[in-house]
Amino acid sequence: MMTMANALTRAGLAGLALSVGLGMAGLAHAAEGAAEPPAQEWSFNGFFGTFDRASAQRGFQVYREVCSTCHSLRLLSYRDLEGLGYSEEEVAAVAAEYRVTDGPNDEGEMFERAGIAADRFVSPYDNEQAAR
């Protein structure tokens, strides 16, 4: 047995699907006759594709020297730098340059220590309110 709420939900979803479909049809019509971009061959195409590691490492250097003063990579760990071609020792050296808040210790206090590869990138701001 279909309840009134269930019927309204189904009607609403059907209306939404219709409006999305009509909107997509308009987009497809607008794309007719548009010039097709030429096919590109990139080094990172395909299953065995690779990135230019030197270029990626230069990009990280630019991030460290310029972008990191305002922008965070807080969702990445230092160990992710190995994907850019850095060795474990180089990653450990980069992580050790940063101070990470850790704890609590035996006395229940938070403390700072040198970063390790498993730590996430340190944010340039103390908290989210300061970042906003």
Side-chain angles (χ1 to χ4, degrees):
M1 180 174 184
M2 186 180 299
T3 64
M4 181 60 113
N6 194 1
L8 289 175
T9 302
R10 286 186 179 192
L13 289 175
L16 177 63
L18 179 63
S19 64
V20 168
L22 291 176
M24 292 298 202
L27 290 175
H29 181 66
E32 287 180 18
E36 189 72 25
Q40 300 288 323
E41 290 297 322
W42 301 99
S43 64
F44 48 84
N45 280 351
F47 187 72
F48 295 107
T50 62
F51 290 101
D52 179 5
R53 293 192 190 280
S55 177
Q57 290 177 0
R58 284 191 304 273
F60 175 65
Q61 181 180 359
V62 169
Y63 167 78
R64 282 181 65 185
E65 296 174 2
V66 180
C67 306
S68 67
T69 58
C70 300
H71 300 280
S72 172
L73 291 178
R74 64 185 174 85
L75 299 178
L76 296 178
S77 298
Y78 293 107
R79 66 177 165 229
D80 294 329
L81 293 175
E82 290 180 19
L84 298 181
Y86 289 103
S87 68
E88 288 183 25
E89 294 79 23
E90 291 170 322
V91 170
V94 168
E97 294 176 14
Y98 296 92
R99 303 297 296 170
V100 176
T101 302
D102 199 2
N105 59 14
D106 294 337
E107 290 82 36
E109 302 291 324
M110 299 301 282
F111 60 94
E112 285 192 352
R113 61 169 173 76
I116 59 174
D119 291 327
R120 295 199 182 255
F121 276 84
V122 175
S123 175
Y125 301 103
D126 293 335
N127 55 47
E128 188 157 336
Q129 292 299 331
R132 289 180 189 194

